[in-house]
């Protein structure tokens, strides 16, 4: 890994939500700040900046990661997906997003993008989890509004629906 | 349209929220997402590491010299521009946006840096040097209220700013005549509900108009707007306050932004540029706000059959370092409900509010209800236990009967409607109470600790602004104009193409208000909710708002929602009057539906909605005589039931009163003390429910807060006032694995006082759930009397097993070092003792210890020691590791010198990472082969480093002490072998950094 001068701006070429992008950042800039304040991707929310609350979770090369515990320079050459990647601005909501709507899985919506990014990766890896496993996965995210029941119900409903579809095919 | 038309109803339906689409796509805009002007500068705040100290000097020169720093502002710099914030009891305390002369709590804002970006600003904050002179703190409320306590605001006579007694009925007689007096004491802890989004302020001063233009995620009440204006020395028009379309949770917390609004407004004026500040989580936890902790002594006068005839309450509410608007709300907004859900005619209440060296208290969901109901419902439980009755029987015996409504409670609450018995009956049946009791029997038979708890809570919603004046005597009230009631504003507009918009005066915090507004308006105008455009931004310069505006006291459904319905009905009437002549029918026969306006009895006779709307805009001259052109209707809703306190200090504190009854079963792990909620039932009567999906969500969220108050959340302070809960690893917020889903049930008794029939329901479980769980834990543990929240496993374990036994022999070395106890009531100091053998005679050791040059070499990380007075030293010390180092200013005083036998060292460290205060006694004893050096020390750590990792610091302090002695020995054995300035304790800081994920 090259040694970076702390005051020099680094050029960061990376893939953001499927599009090749370039931005600049000092070596110490957090990925969360870079996404929000340099790239203008404000769906990535900052809740604690010490890795506990999970609001800033994004996917880096397909894996859910805390963008507040990642430096911007670390994503050079990599693929970063934020909540804006799920349905984009105008496509229909994904089944998971729609389930959050149906089951009232969000209130203020501040923690939601992080939860969606963790959950979508989790369900790719583990399409048939138990409720206990879902709650365990969610324990990396703090939500103050919902008491989690709506979130859990939305995810369980998505799993059920996907299984129904898979069985029908 | 051939079928008979039935108007489509949306109110009462579980309609999906109109807000969700933008939120789920990540395109919803929160305060920090709003575009900032290119010349916007960014602020960071230096905060006090001390609970109570005089500010001796502030040196900002190094910070100001940093490239990119625009300005550095101290409290003194503000005095030219601001007045202190007002408080209700007119206490002469001075609350400024930055500390002036003194700091009064850890985390108090001391210096503001404005710079090109936040990173530069934070770097500069670390370069500011503040010298403090420590003062004795008053941390615990009972101590702060005592004669011995230091007075925190020297302008005031004592820390108790208000002490009022109230008597309703004849409580003394009731206590004389009762069969049993039952009493209990409560120490309700300090906690908050930390919204996931922190505070945001973006301020821009316009000198041409003398207007401060501010965007902030402030939630109201807007009674605080004039408080800010008075501080800024402007009229209400001089502070343009805008709130964003979305906010990441409020829970009451986001009223506490207001001192920062004023601070950034002035900063913008001084900087000559817009200034933006985004609070970080440590700032939020240490300094934002907290629900006041409260000491309550409560007595109940009970008859043998369980009937309670009187309560006596003595409440001591801890408001922290400043009485900040709208405090002391929590003590008085519940006042009319002080007898709970019960028919208790006699009441005595003493309310005291006390200042302590903790962060100022504020609005937190439940707003005084959790504290009050914890006392009431615990004492009702005790009545049952002490009389040998069933706790639920005692509740039912005392509940207000269904035919008693409207019920006039002793302290003045007028409970509008309800059927408490029906709610209890529903809960028992649907919640399967009988089965739960069998489950308890079975669990107990298996040797498990299992308990059942009950709670009944009357939930006041839609506050009367006049409640706060109950703190004043009737004579004081007579001198000022009375405050009573509330207004709610709403506007419905229709554009030339038939587009409908609706706005009201409530900054949204996530409750789904836009959906409720859309439902109400769509139903009136025959449209779909998704067709109603609700811009939830609020702008005090352009929108209609009342002084009662804001998002609090669950007022939406009985306040602004009513105004929305009124405005929508006015719009409907106007459109009907425009359409009627064209349809050739009387106005009364006009109906709305499917985007059409038509004759009710002949739907084929219709006009398109947008056509009728267009008429008012495109051909206003054709409108019926006397009708104003355009389509914009505004309504103000002013319920008349909310009057000022009467001569007897009775106050109807809220407009409407909901009710909930909860019961739960908990199992306690005998080994770990963990409390597991096995079954939880909560049954509500909140009048008419406007949207069951949203109502359900509000109850689940409120319940979740109740669970966390009961089991997890507490702001912990050391005896020195140091703050110990600065991260989400220290301040525990429950995750999905800790909050099981409760069963939620509803009875709907519409309120006669509001046109929609709805009451609030978002606070009830914050009040009921903590005490319901506490009652269940008491039941599980042989009806134990004293239950201290939160019920951490360690605390419950102590209840089961008693105090921790002494450690076994082999651990005695470790036991010598007593770690900081963070649970309240115990010492928070890190103390230790030790001894070392130094191979030199006592005089040599003594000379080394008292020679500044030699001592400087020995102290880890020391860059030279100056003797500023005899036996009084100053030094600069670096402690750190890797890329992050902290510079500290150390001062050490030697006293009780008994050459060459013993000396006392007292002093401390101050730096950007925090500070410490300590004292040590060193004894030198000549023994064979040298000197036996024995020492004991006690260190208190405060500031950032204590807040984010006090558990890790304990070890670190010991490492420093050990290093000191090992270096001393080395230096004496081989002079010159120790190099001055070596950084100390790398392992400690590395551990913190790793743990914070920085390294």
């Amino acid at each position: 890994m090259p040694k970076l001068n702390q005051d020099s701006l680094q050029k960061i070429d990376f893939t953001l939500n499927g599009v090749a992008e370039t931005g600049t950042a000092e070596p110490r800039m957090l990925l969360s700040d870079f996404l929000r304040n340099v790239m203008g991707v404000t769906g990535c929310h900052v809740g604690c900046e010490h890795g506990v609350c999970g609001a800033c979770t994004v996917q880096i090369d397909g894996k859910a990661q805390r963008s507040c515990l990642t430096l911007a320079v670390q994503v050079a050459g990599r693929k970063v997906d934020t909540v804006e990647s799920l349905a984009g601005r105008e496509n229909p909501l994904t089944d998971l997003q729609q389930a959050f709507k149906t089951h009232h899985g969000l209130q203020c919506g501040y923690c939601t993008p992080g939860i969606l990014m963790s959950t979508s990766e989790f369900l790719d890896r583990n399409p048939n989890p138990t409720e206990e496993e879902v709650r365990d996965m969610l324990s990396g995210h703090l939500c103050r509004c919902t008491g989690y029941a709506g979130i859990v119900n939305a995810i369980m409903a998505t799993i059920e629906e996907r299984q129904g579809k898979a069985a029908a095919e | 349209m051939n079928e008979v038309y039935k108007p489509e109803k949306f109110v009462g339906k579980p309609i999906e929220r109109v807000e969700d689409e933008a939120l789920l796509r990540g395109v919803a805009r929160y305060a920090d997402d709003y575009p900032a002007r290119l010349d916007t500068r960014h602020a960071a705040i230096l905060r006090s590491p001390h609970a109570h100290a005089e500010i001796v000097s502030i040196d900002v020169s190094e910070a100001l010299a940093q490239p990119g720093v625009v300005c550095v502002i101290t409290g003194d710099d503000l005095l030219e521009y601001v007045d202190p914030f007002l408080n209700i009891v007119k206490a002469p305390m001075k609350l400024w946006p930055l500390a002036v002369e003194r700091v009064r709590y850890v985390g108090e804002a001391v210096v503001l840096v404005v710079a090109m970006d936040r990173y530069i600003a934070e770097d500069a904050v670390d370069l500011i040097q503040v010298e403090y002179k420590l003062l004795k703190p008053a941390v615990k409320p009972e101590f702060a209220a005592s004669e011995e306590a230091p007075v925190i605001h020297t302008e005031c006579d004592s820390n108790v700013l208000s002490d009022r007694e109230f008597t309703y009925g004849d409580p003394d007689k009731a206590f004389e005549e009762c069969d049993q007096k039952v009493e209990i004491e409560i120490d309700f802890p300090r906690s908050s509900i930390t919204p996931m989004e922190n505070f945001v302020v973006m301020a821009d001063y316009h000198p041409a108009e003398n207007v401060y233009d501010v965007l902030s995620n402030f939630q109201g009440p807007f009674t605080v707007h004039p408080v800010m204006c008075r501080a800024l020395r402007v009229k209400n028009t001089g502070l343009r306050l805008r709130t964003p379309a979305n906010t990441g949770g409020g829970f009451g917390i986001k009223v506490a932004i207001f001192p920062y609004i004023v601070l950034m407004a002035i900063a913008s004026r001084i900087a000559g540029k817009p200034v933006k500040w985004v609070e970080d989580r440590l700032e939020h936890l240490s300094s934002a706000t907290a629900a006041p902790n409260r000491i309550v002594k409560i007595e109940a006068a009970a008859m043998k059959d369980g009937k309670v005839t009187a309560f006596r309450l003595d409440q001591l509410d801890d408001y922290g370092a400043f009485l900040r608007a709208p405090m002391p709300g929590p003590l008085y907004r519940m006042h009319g409900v002080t007898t709970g859900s019960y028919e208790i005619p006699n009441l005595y209440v003493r309310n005291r509010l006390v200042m302590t060296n903790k962060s100022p208290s504020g609005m937190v969901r439940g707003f005084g209800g959790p504290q009050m109901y914890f006392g009431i419902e615990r004492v009702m439980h005790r009545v049952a236990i002490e009389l040998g009755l069933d706790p639920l029987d005692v509740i039912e015996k005392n509940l207000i009967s269904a035919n008693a409504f409207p019920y006039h409670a002793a302290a003045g609450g007028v409970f509008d409607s309800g059927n408490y018995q029906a709610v209890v009956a529903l809960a028992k049946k649907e919640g399967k109470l009988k089965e739960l009791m069998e489950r308890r029997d079975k669990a107990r038979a298996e040797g498990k600790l299992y308990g059942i708890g009950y709670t009944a809570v009357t939930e006041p919603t839609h506050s009367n602004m006049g409640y706060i004046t109950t703190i004043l005597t009737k004579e004081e009230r007579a001198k000022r104009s009375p405050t009573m009631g509330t207004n709610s504003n709403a506007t419905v507009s229709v554009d030339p193409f038939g587009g409908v918009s609706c706005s009201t005066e409530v900054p949204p915090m996530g409750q789904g208000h836009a959906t409720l507004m859309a439902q109400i308006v769509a139903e009136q105008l025959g449209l779909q909710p998704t067709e109603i455009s609700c811009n939830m931004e609020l702008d005090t310069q352009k929108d209609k708002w009342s002084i009662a505006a804001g998002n609090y006291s669950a007022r939406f459904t009985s306040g602004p929602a009513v105004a929305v319905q009124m405005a929508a009905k006015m719009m409907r009437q106007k459109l009907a009057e425009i359409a009627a002549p064209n349809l050739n029918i009387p106005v009364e026969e006009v109906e709305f539906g499917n985007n059409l306006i038509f004759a009710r009895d002949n739907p084929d006779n219709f006009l398109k909605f947008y056509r009728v709307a267009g008429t008012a805009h495109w051909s206003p001259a054709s409108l019926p005589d006397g009708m104003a052109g355009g389509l914009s209707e505004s309504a103000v809703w002013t319920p008349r039931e909310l009057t000022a306190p009467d001569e007897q200090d009775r106050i109807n504190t809220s407009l409407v009163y909901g009710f909930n009854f909860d019961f739960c079963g908990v199992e306690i792990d005998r080994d770990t003390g963990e409390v597991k909620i096995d079954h939880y039932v909560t049954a509500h009567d909140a009048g008419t429910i406007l949207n069951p999906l949203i109502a359900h969500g509000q109850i689940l969220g409120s319940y979740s807060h109740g669970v966390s108050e009961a089991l997890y959340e507490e702001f912990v302070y050391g005896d020195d006032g140091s703050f110990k809960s600065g991260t989400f690893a220290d301040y525990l917020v429950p995750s999905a694995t800790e909050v099981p889903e409760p069963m939620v049930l509803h009875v709907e008794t519409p309120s006669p006082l509001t046109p929609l029939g709805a009451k609030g329901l978002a606070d009830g479980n914050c009040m009921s759930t903590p005490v319901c769980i506490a009652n269940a834990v008491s039941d599980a543990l042989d009806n134990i009397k004293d239950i201290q929240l939160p019920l951490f496993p360690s605390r419950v374990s102590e209840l089961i097993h008693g105090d921790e036994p002494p450690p076994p022999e082999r651990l005695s070395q470790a036991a010598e070092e007593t770690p900081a106890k963070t649970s309240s009531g115990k010492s928070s100091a890190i103390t230790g003792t030790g001894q070392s053998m130094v191979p030199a005679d006592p005089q040599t050791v003594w000379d080394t210890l008292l020679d500044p040059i030699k001592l400087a070499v020995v102290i880890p990380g020391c860059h030279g020691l100056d003797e500023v007075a005899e036996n009084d030293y100053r030094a600069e010390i670096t402690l750190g590791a890797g890329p992050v180092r902290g510079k500290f200013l150390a001062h050490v005083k030697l006293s009780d010198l008994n050459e060459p036998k013993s000396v006392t060292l007292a002093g401390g460290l101050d730096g950007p990472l925090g500070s410490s205060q300590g004292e040590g006694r060193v004894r030198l004893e000549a023994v064979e082969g040298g000197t036996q050096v024995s020492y004991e020390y006690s260190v208190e750590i405060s500031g950032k480093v204590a807040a984010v990792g006090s558990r890790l610091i304990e070890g670190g302090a010991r490492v420093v002490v050990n290093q000191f002695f090992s270096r001393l020995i080395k230096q004496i054995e081989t002079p010159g072998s120790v190099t001055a300035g070596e950084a100390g304790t790398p392992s400690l800081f590395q551990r913190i950094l790793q743990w914070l994920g920085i390294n």
Side-chain angles (χ1 to χ4, degrees), chain B residues 110-122:
Chain B
V110 180
V111 185
L112 183 81
V113 174
V114 179
M116 287 301 290
D117 68 35
R118 176 66 175 254
Y119 288 75
I120 295 170
E122 289 196 14

Side-chain angles (χ1 to χ4, degrees), chain B residues 656-668:
Chain B
V656 285
Y657 296 83
F659 176 73
N660 65 295
F661 170 73
D662 294 7
F663 67 84
C664 71
V666 304
E667 189 181 330
I668 300 172

Side-chain angles (χ1 to χ4, degrees), chain A residues 67-113:
Chain A
S67 62
C68 78
L69 298 185
T70 308
L71 295 169
V73 290
Q74 289 177 277
V75 302
R78 299 169 75 181
K79 192 171 155 296
V80 177
D81 290 299
T82 67
V83 67
E84 285 93 336
S85 71
L86 294 179
R89 292 178 72 84
E90 298 199 39
N91 296 327
L93 296 178
T94 65
D95 56 350
L96 182 65
Q97 285 169 311
Q98 181 54 48
F100 269 66
K101 201 175 164 186
T102 308
H103 295 273
H104 197 19
L106 68 158
Q107 287 181 28
C108 81
Y110 200 79
C111 68
T112 313

Side-chain angles (χ1 to χ4, degrees), chain B residues 682-720:
Chain B
T682 181
H684 287 251
D685 185 351
T688 308
I689 290 175
L690 304 182
N691 182 329
L693 194 70
I694 289 174
H696 191 69
Q698 287 303 307
I699 289 171
L700 292 175
S702 183
Y703 158 78
S704 156
H705 294 150
V707 169
S708 61
E709 272 182 293
L711 302 179
Y712 302 104
E713 291 181 59
E714 182 179 14
F715 285 135
V716 178
Y717 287 84
D719 292 342
D720 60 342

Side-chain angles (χ1 to χ4, degrees), chain B residues 888-901:
Chain B
F888 294 87
L889 203 63
H891 56 273
V892 181
K893 256 189 181 171
L894 305 182
S895 58
D896 304 334
L897 287 89
N898 181 9
E899 183 175 357
K901 290 184 177 157

